Amino acid sequence: MENENNNSSRRNFLKLGALGGIALAGTAIASAVTDETPKATGKKVKVLTADGKLVEIDSSLVDHHAANDDFSKAELRQGVAGKKFIRVIDLGKCANERKCITGCQKAHNVLAPIEYIKVKKMQNSPLESPYWFPTMCYHCDNPPCTKVCPVDATFKRSDGIVAMDYERCIGCKFCMAACPYSARTFNFGRPEQVKYSEEHKNDTSDPNHCTTPYAQEGTVAKCDFCTDRSEQGLLPACVIECPNGAIYHGDELEDVVTNGEDTVRLKKLLQDRAGYRQFEELGTKPRVYYLPPVKRDFPFEDATEVQNTKE
Amino acid sequence: MSANINKHETFTQAEYMVMKNDLLRPIEKIGKAGKLWIAFLVAVFMAGVVAYIIQETKSKYVTTSLRDYTMWGIYISNFLFMVAIGLVGVLMSAILKLTNFEWYRPLSRIAEVIAIGAIMFGGISIVVAMGRPDRLINLLLYGRIQSPIIWDVIGITTDLTACIILLFIPLIPSLVTCKNHLENLPKWQLKMYNMLSFGWQGTPEQWAILKKTMKTLTALVIPLGVIICTITAWLFATTLRAEWDSTNFGAYFVSNAFLLSVAVMTLATFIFRKAYKLEKYLTEMHFDKLGQAMVLMALIHGYFNVNEYLIPAYKMSGLHENTLLNLFVGKEAGFYWSVVFFGIIIPFLLPLFPKMRKPIPLTIISLAVLIAGWFRLYLIVIPGLLHPYLPIQDVPKSWTHYFPSAVEMTVVAATFAGLLLVVTLFSRFFPIISVWEVAEGELEGKEEIFNYK
């Protein structure tokens, strides 16, 4: 008897909730359609209607979306709504070909020896085989760097990205000291670098190029997951450049990551392949997972070790 | 109460006349050596300014040895040293004063001036280390209270202000003395004394206010000084780096600062005593007491040193192993153990013997302690950065080690010259020993200040 009661009340509640949900959605749609304020921007976007037709409407009629237009500074600090960027790196697939590094450097106007991605030779114990270990900014959920920044120049966005405001950074380098992964680099104004970034300031001819500003002289820079590219549905430079598909990039909320060829369920991948995060004991909660280097695609070759030693 | 007030009034004329020649002499006449010394300091300081301009206008990659791993170099370790030295004011004037150690009297003003100079140049060291000093204003515009740097900015400015006031308030009666008793001086200087003394007349009310203000400020600078030392330690302890990840760090820094303070005070006392012939006021007793203080401070610091290094070394956990092995038996070992030897063992053992508490031996010990102390802070910053959790691989050679460049060394030398310049110039314009405080001590029957054997 009691059970029945419970069930019926639960059913009622669900009904109510569903009704309420529909009502809310209805008003949202209504307000989106009938809102009198939007001024036509002249920019057309394609949208798919509920009955499966593709129509072209003015961009002002749809809610703000990443792909639509440029972001204001406040929006850049906010992050892409409804996204949680995440990454999985399959250590079994990394052969240290360094294509991700050079691709990243090109996309961000960064010259060697500065690397946002570093590939390290790691060995867990003397009895185990060594393996290649690509590191980058892990966009931690408990980021030590944003805590110590005195001016909020590095900050955590709603989409999981730890971003840099190069206009605000005072160059105290505290975030670099605080990062246990040494993921950050500093623009010390190396003459070649300054010249190069001046020359390639507006360089967008390369389809892999990121439009986010790069580090100014005297400020801290780092991997930004090529956010501006993933906002537009493009994959980050390193993911595209990796010839072996070792880097999977995706969205935690969608529970999906891709290396450009295969698209996989994030949770299943991590569960099946025993995914782990670097230095879990530090409590930084990184957003980059690693798949252990078992069943490798390539034998470990030491010869590829030293490449980035020129000033 | 009235007897007390009378005391202050009675010593004004007679006692000051006696001391005038001794304590005001350095203001009236600067010898050749004194002028040379000032010229030397100005030259070093200007060299540092030029070096800094070169650093800021040319690429920092070329002018400094700072790289991605050692992004904090000797500028930051020098900042730590300056903040540590800044604790001397707290130790020598505030703590001794509040605990009724009468021998503080001739030392307090020397200590305050050193403290102010050190905190000033500590602040400057940070700005020099910044990548974008032109954006300093962002600290005010966007400052966030959760960042230890903001705590430091607040702490340093508050402490500096409190120290300046604490130096200035007891200076007022001395300024009147200068105004009344110094004649062969340029007019502007006498005018300055007059202006700065703010119409001080030495009435009982004024004395009462002065004493009360001093007492409040003295009590205030103790927590302030300890706080800025601790916050400086927290700049490191709030990070996850193995070498800095220590709950002991605040106490470790404060104990280090007290040890360095005793050493810097010994050195300053020795130099002022010799240069200005103040043997009558800065007596052997002061060296004896400073030597005893040094033993105590070295003992305390040694204790914290054991907590800081030997206890993690016992466990040798994976996260600490890298940096600890390097310090104990690795590349940095010779450096580390000599710092422990000269910076802790020597100042603990040697001044136990009364012979070592005489001016010359104690000054030599102090010099060793100061040099070792500077390198101790170097050893906290640089190896801590060069031994991150993830190994440093595949980088240019200059990234894997650090040796300060000529520009950096010049700038650091200039901060020392600047500190010495502040102290020297102050002692050339104002009596470096508080005339009335010493006279008061004598009048109150604190004979030991003068007749210590």
Side-chain angles (χ1 to χ4, degrees):
Chain A
M1 194 64 190
E2 215 174 288
N3 253 345
E4 224 169 86
N5 256 347
N6 269 351
N7 273 342
S8 75
S9 70
R10 186 168 157 264
R11 213 169 295 133
N12 282 339
F13 174 76
L14 284 177
K15 256 190 218 161
L16 205 71
L19 273 176
I22 290 165
L24 268 177
T27 46
I29 292 163
S31 71
V33 175
T34 59
D35 199 7
E36 66 276 14
T37 41
K39 276 187 221 143
T41 58
K43 197 176 169 187
K44 298 285 179 197
V45 287
K46 283 182 181 143
V47 291
L48 194 65
T49 59
D51 50 347
K53 280 182 207 152
L54 196 65
V55 291
E56 209 170 58
I57 56 166
D58 195 87
S59 68
S60 61
L61 289 173
V62 290
D63 265 352
H64 188 87
H65 187 274
N68 288 356
D69 50 14
D70 294 334
F71 290 103
S72 73
K73 206 146 185 214
E75 283 169 323
L76 273 178
R77 295 183 77 89
Q78 206 61 49
V80 186
K83 292 270 178 200
K84 269 280 191 204
F85 295 111
I86 200 156
R87 190 168 275 197
V88 181
I89 293 168
D90 189 344
L91 296 176
K93 287 184 177 170
C94 181
N96 191 20
E97 293 191 35
R98 297 177 57 83
K99 296 283 191 293
C100 56
I101 299 171
T102 47
C104 171
Q105 284 171 337
K106 208 169 172 202
H108 290 97
N109 284 340
V110 175
L111 277 184
I114 301 287
E115 294 173 344
Y116 288 177
I117 301 188
K118 300 178 185 79
V119 180
K120 293 184 189 288
K121 178 190 171 187
M122 297 281 267
Q123 191 166 15
N124 292 350
S125 82
L127 300 182
E128 289 172 72
S129 157
Y131 58 92
W132 294 115
F133 183 76
T135 72
M136 64 204 70
C137 174
Y138 292 159
H139 298 274
C140 308
D141 279 341
N142 180 19
C145 52
T146 68
K147 278 186 204 167
V148 298
C149 179
V151 294
D152 209 11
T154 183
F155 49 90
K156 183 85 185 163
R157 308 200 317 181
S158 66
D159 54 8
I161 299 294
V162 173
M164 273 298 303
D165 186 340
Y166 302 120
E167 302 281 326
R168 193 183 283 189
C169 175
I170 61 168
C172 69
K173 298 164 251 170
F174 201 173
C175 55
M176 297 176 76
C179 177
Y181 305 104
S182 312
R184 290 170 167 255
T185 126
F186 193 74
N187 188 337
F188 284 102
R190 205 158 42 96
E192 308 94 273
Q193 175 68 60
V194 173
K195 196 170 149 235
Y196 184 82
S197 37
E198 195 53 46
E199 280 168 9
H200 293 260
K201 197 156 55 180
N202 302 314
D203 193 0
T204 47
S205 54
D206 177 9
N208 285 347
H209 204 275
C210 288
T211 52
T212 43
Y214 41 85
Q216 300 161 9
E217 195 177 340
T219 62
V220 172
K222 67 175 204 24
C223 155
D224 58 356
F225 267 14
C226 292
T227 327
D228 57 326
R229 290 175 54 78
S230 20
E231 274 161 2
Q232 297 170 30
L234 301 169
L235 281 171
C238 53
V239 179
I240 293 173
E241 295 293 335
C242 178
N244 307 319
I247 307 173
Y248 291 81
H249 189 79
D251 183 359
E252 188 191 343
L253 301 179
E254 264 186 290
D255 195 22
V256 66
V257 286
T258 178
N259 62 358
E261 251 170 56
D262 302 325
T263 304
V264 279
R265 288 273 301 278
L266 169 71
K267 263 187 213 135
K268 192 162 180 329
L269 181 67
L270 293 177
Q271 278 167 8
D272 291 353
R273 302 277 309 274
Y276 72 97
R277 299 188 289 191
Q278 187 65 9
F279 299 140
E280 193 74 71
E281 66 272 28
L282 296 179
T284 51
K285 302 189 174 69
R287 297 193 69 73
V288 175
Y289 286 83
Y290 287 97
L291 305 177
V294 289
K295 282 210 287 183
R296 297 197 202 175
D297 290 1
F298 309 95
F300 183 86
E301 279 173 40
D302 230 357
T304 46
E305 190 177 359
V306 180
Q307 306 198 22
N308 190 39
T309 49
K310 279 199 195 115
E311 283 282 338
Chain B
M1 188 66 200
S2 65
N4 243 339
I5 292 158
N6 283 338
K7 266 184 198 167
H8 295 304
E9 282 175 338
T10 48
F11 71 66
T12 43
Q13 281 307 317
E15 292 295 333
Y16 279 179
M17 294 311 284
V18 177
M19 294 183 180
K20 184 190 122 186
N21 290 332
D22 295 337
L23 296 182
L24 302 186
R25 198 193 315 113
I27 305 172
E28 271 185 320
K29 225 178 115 193
I30 305 182
K32 213 175 191 178
K35 279 180 185 158
L36 264 174
W37 171 241
I38 292 175
F40 167 72
L41 292 180
V42 170
V44 175
F45 184 74
M46 289 319 289
V49 173
V50 171
Y52 180 62
I53 292 170
I54 292 172
Q55 178 194 311
E56 287 306 307
T57 48
K58 260 178 115 179
S59 145
K60 280 174 201 152
Y61 202 89
V62 179
T63 54
T64 68
S65 297
L66 301 173
R67 296 292 184 269
D68 270 8
Y69 286 97
T70 38
M71 68 280 159
W72 284 353
I74 48 169
Y75 291 153
I76 296 295
S77 45
N78 192 47
F79 155 71
L80 302 184
F81 184 78
M82 288 292 177
V83 168
I85 295 292
L87 209 64
V88 68
V90 167
L91 181 69
M92 282 300 142
S93 51
I95 292 181
L96 293 182
K97 200 181 283 183
L98 287 187
T99 46
N100 295 325
F101 279 95
E102 290 299 329
W103 53 278
Y104 83 88
R105 288 175 187 274
L107 300 183
S108 66
R109 192 168 289 164
I110 301 176
E112 286 299 336
V113 179
I114 295 174
I116 289 171
I119 296 167
M120 255 168 59
F121 282 96
I124 288 171
S125 295
I126 293 203
V127 177
V128 168
M130 260 171 62
R132 295 297 295 243
D134 53 314
R135 293 182 183 170
L136 206 55
I137 188 78
N138 281 8
L139 285 173
L140 298 178
L141 294 178
Y142 306 110
R144 296 190 315 164
I145 199 69
Q146 79 256 46
S147 169
I149 286 196
I150 299 293
W151 310 341
D152 222 3
V153 169
I154 296 170
I156 283 184
T157 43
T158 317
D159 191 47
L160 187 59
T161 317
C163 281
I164 289 174
I165 301 173
L166 187 58
L167 174 74
F168 179 69
I169 300 274
L171 192 63
I172 294 174
S174 302
L175 289 168
V176 181
T177 319
C178 289
K179 189 181 76 181
N180 293 344
H181 298 275
L182 291 170
E183 280 132 22
N184 312 321
L185 288 177
K187 249 199 179 131
W188 67 268
Q189 202 172 334
L190 291 173
K191 220 170 176 181
M192 175 184 77
Y193 293 137
N194 193 27
M195 261 171 62
L196 285 178
S197 59
F198 287 103
W200 170 265
Q201 313 227 300
T203 62
E205 291 82 14
Q206 285 180 332
W207 274 111
I209 294 171
L210 181 116
K211 292 258 158 175
K212 207 175 160 190
T213 322
M214 272 177 69
K215 207 162 190 180
T216 317
L217 279 171
T218 306
L220 187 70
V221 293
I222 295 178
L224 273 176
V226 173
I227 280 169
I228 66 161
C229 254
T230 314
I231 291 174
T232 313
W234 287 346
L235 286 182
F236 296 87
T238 48
T239 69
L240 295 164
R241 296 230 172 213
E243 196 174 62
W244 305 337
D245 190 9
S246 154
T247 46
N248 184 39
F249 235 39
Y252 182 67
F253 268 56
V254 173
S255 66
N256 179 45
F258 276 134
L259 176 59
L260 294 184
S261 293
V262 175
V264 82
M265 203 60 221
T266 311
L267 199 62
T269 310
F270 183 81
I271 293 170
F272 276 120
R273 182 178 138 103
K274 282 273 174 275
Y276 295 165
K277 298 186 179 58
L278 297 174
E279 282 88 349
K280 201 179 148 202
Y281 305 92
L282 304 170
T283 61
E284 297 222 342
M285 175 268 301
H286 286 114
F287 289 92
D288 188 49
K289 300 275 188 201
L290 283 168
Q292 291 171 9
M294 190 181 282
V295 171
L296 177 67
M297 297 307 173
L299 186 64
I300 295 173
H301 186 61
Y303 166 74
F304 282 116
N305 209 60
V306 168
N307 278 290
E308 186 55 41
Y309 289 101
L310 291 185
I311 298 308
Y314 181 89
K315 293 177 280 190
M316 211 40 99
S317 84
L319 294 178
H320 291 78
E321 188 188 354
N322 197 358
T323 160
L324 283 177
L325 284 180
N326 170 62
L327 283 183
F328 290 148
V329 290
K331 229 169 64 188
E332 240 65 78
F335 203 170
Y336 174 79
W337 290 112
S338 46
V339 162
V340 169
F341 183 73
F342 288 106
I344 300 173
I345 296 173
I346 290 270
F348 168 63
L349 282 183
L350 290 188
L352 282 174
F353 306 100
K355 265 190 188 159
M356 289 287 148
R357 298 201 294 267
K358 298 281 174 224
I360 291 173
L362 197 70
T363 306
I364 294 169
I365 296 169
S366 297
L367 206 58
V369 170
L370 282 175
I371 295 169
W374 194 90
F375 282 112
R376 173 158 45 236
L377 299 169
Y378 178 93
L379 277 174
I380 286 174
V381 179
I382 283 99
L385 288 170
L386 279 175
H387 293 86
Y389 292 126
L390 289 169
I392 302 177
Q393 289 176 358
D394 219 13
V395 291
K397 210 156 176 241
S398 69
W399 292 28
T400 56
H401 60 87
Y402 173 81
F403 190 80
S405 71
V407 165
E408 286 171 274
M409 288 197 267
T410 316
V411 171
V412 167
T415 59
F416 280 102
L419 165 62
L420 292 172
L421 204 57
V422 167
V423 178
T424 310
L425 289 181
F426 180 88
S427 70
R428 285 298 178 189
F429 286 103
F430 305 100
I432 192 68
I433 292 182
S434 185
V435 185
W436 68 266
E437 276 184 276
V438 173
E440 182 193 57
E442 191 182 32
L443 268 170
E444 286 173 3
K446 306 292 186 321
E447 280 296 317
E448 76 263 28
I449 298 177
F450 296 101
N451 305 320
Y452 181 83
K453 281 283 160 296

